[in-house]
Amino acid sequence: MPRPFVAYLRVYEPLSSLEGAFRSQVEHALRNGGGLTRSQAADRERELWLRTQSTAPTRLLPGDNAEGEGALRRLDVITLPVADAPGRDAVDSDESPLVCPLDLRPRAAAGVMGFLAHSVGPLVDEALPLPVEVVRARASAALSNLPRRAAHVVSSTWTVPLPWFALVDPGARKVVLKERGDAERSVHWLISMSDARRRAEEAHAVVTATLGEEGPARILRDTSRWLAHFDDNSVIELDYGGIVQLLEDTELTEDTSAEDVQVALSALETGNAELAAERYAKLREFWSDLASREQHN
């Protein structure tokens, strides 16, 4: 079975920055085999979602019991060795790995709230197993349990939002070419929190001044606010996730999306609208074609 066609932005925090019961839960997960790889995390998300939907009666959120209450028995965490972290001299002197809890239950709740915000009528009635008021209340309760008031992971299906590329150094990309069904096939970037915040703020200023507050500027603003919830010594990861299964080796190696976004931003800043439009057209062609495969059913 293919991995979900999902790309991710993740935050890995130093273990020492976590507090109280949440830190204890993370430490317990690490001691008991709860540390996952990127590909295992995608499989875990799919497993929990399918289990939630295949249970009779259907559950709203992962971990729900028949009464709609509960929590996941197991905390799932992706780890990042300190040696792999940009700016690693500034993090966790005890050499503990940086950790990214998957926050599966609240992320599912956020997805439900997003669905309610953008869907109406028969679609809502057909998709939800409970009245809207009950669904909204249960999702809100799950979201309130986030230790940082923000999930460590945000995701995008079938495409990578172009503003995400503003956070990364194009030259820091890591590409692992394996067979298209191999779980180790990957494309990702790692960047220090300080660099990610700086790049997001600078890109937001440029885009707002030239294109206005909506569209890419709104995504960059929301991303900056999201990053502000986490420890200063964290590491950000942009991961193509299961989308690499849709691309040929040459498409992965020749992909210049991060560079194109950076060039477009510089062009906007210097008033070179023609160059900015040229790079945007290239990006739109590549990612729109990929996203259109969602409709190939």
Side-chain angles (χ1 to χ4, degrees):
M1 183 182 294
R3 283 179 287 159
F5 301 124
V6 180
Y8 304 91
L9 268 183
R10 301 187 182 100
V11 175
Y12 294 85
E13 291 194 278
L15 188 58
S16 59
S17 73
L18 306 182
E19 298 178 347
F22 184 55
R23 176 167 178 170
S24 297
Q25 289 176 333
V26 171
E27 291 175 331
H28 181 268
L30 296 179
R31 288 194 302 269
N32 292 275
L36 305 175
T37 65
R38 296 182 188 90
S39 60
Q40 288 172 334
D43 291 341
R44 174 68 172 160
E45 291 185 11
R46 179 181 57 206
E47 171 199 344
L48 282 176
W49 180 248
L50 291 176
R51 186 184 302 168
T52 300
Q53 295 305 297
S54 60
T55 302
T58 301
R59 306 295 195 252
L60 179 65
L61 301 174
D64 275 358
N65 58 25
E67 288 72 40
E69 301 174 347
L72 292 173
R73 296 179 181 177
R74 164 180 151 191
L75 181 66
D76 295 294
V77 182
I78 309 177
T79 59
L80 179 71
V82 172
D84 294 343
R88 58 184 176 271
D89 292 341
V91 297
D92 242 355
S93 60
D94 66 356
E95 297 298 304
S96 298
L98 281 72
V99 293
C100 176
L102 296 189
D103 299 326
L104 291 173
R105 185 174 168 84
R107 283 173 56 208
V112 169
M113 296 294 277
F115 173 75
L116 290 175
H118 296 98
S119 303
V120 294
L123 179 59
V124 173
D125 295 336
E126 183 67 24
L128 297 179
L130 299 164
V132 170
E133 296 77 12
V134 175
V135 168
R136 185 173 284 112
R138 291 185 180 178
S140 296
L143 284 170
S144 69
N145 292 326
L146 276 170
R148 295 288 196 189
R149 299 299 180 191
H152 288 76
V153 183
V154 293
S155 57
S156 174
T157 56
W158 294 91
T159 190
V160 178
L162 297 182
W164 287 6
F165 290 111
L167 305 181
V168 305
D169 174 2
R173 183 178 65 152
K174 305 294 184 185
V175 180
V176 178
L177 296 179
K178 299 285 186 178
E179 295 295 327
R180 290 173 76 168
D182 194 312
E184 297 305 312
R185 183 180 179 87
S186 67
V187 173
H188 70 276
W189 287 260
L190 293 172
I191 183 169
S192 68
M193 176 62 83
S194 59
D195 283 349
R197 287 174 175 163
R198 173 181 56 81
R199 290 173 180 271
E201 291 168 1
E202 291 174 352
H204 179 257
V206 170
V207 173
T208 300
T210 54
L211 301 178
E213 286 282 1
E214 294 305 312
R218 179 177 55 79
I219 296 174
L220 288 164
R221 181 187 67 238
D222 291 346
T223 301
S224 291
R225 291 174 177 172
W226 174 63
L227 295 175
H229 286 89
F230 301 100
D231 186 81
D232 292 345
N233 291 320
S234 300
V235 170
I236 313 305
E237 179 179 59
L238 169 54
D239 178 15
Y240 277 19
I243 290 176
V244 296
Q245 300 163 109
L246 301 172
L247 297 166
E248 302 287 349
D249 286 2
T250 54
E251 291 179 299
L252 292 179
T253 57
E254 297 174 9
D255 171 33
T256 58
S257 295
E259 177 185 347
D260 291 333
V261 167
Q262 304 285 350
V263 170
L265 286 169
S266 296
L268 287 174
E269 189 172 21
T270 58
N272 190 340
E274 182 177 352
L275 177 58
E278 174 188 316
R279 291 300 179 112
Y280 175 72
K282 178 183 176 184
L283 288 159
R284 182 177 59 184
E285 179 181 1
F286 180 80
W287 289 103
S288 295
D289 177 67
L290 197 64
S292 69
R293 302 188 195 188
E294 184 176 7
Q295 307 301 321
H296 295 181
N297 189 325

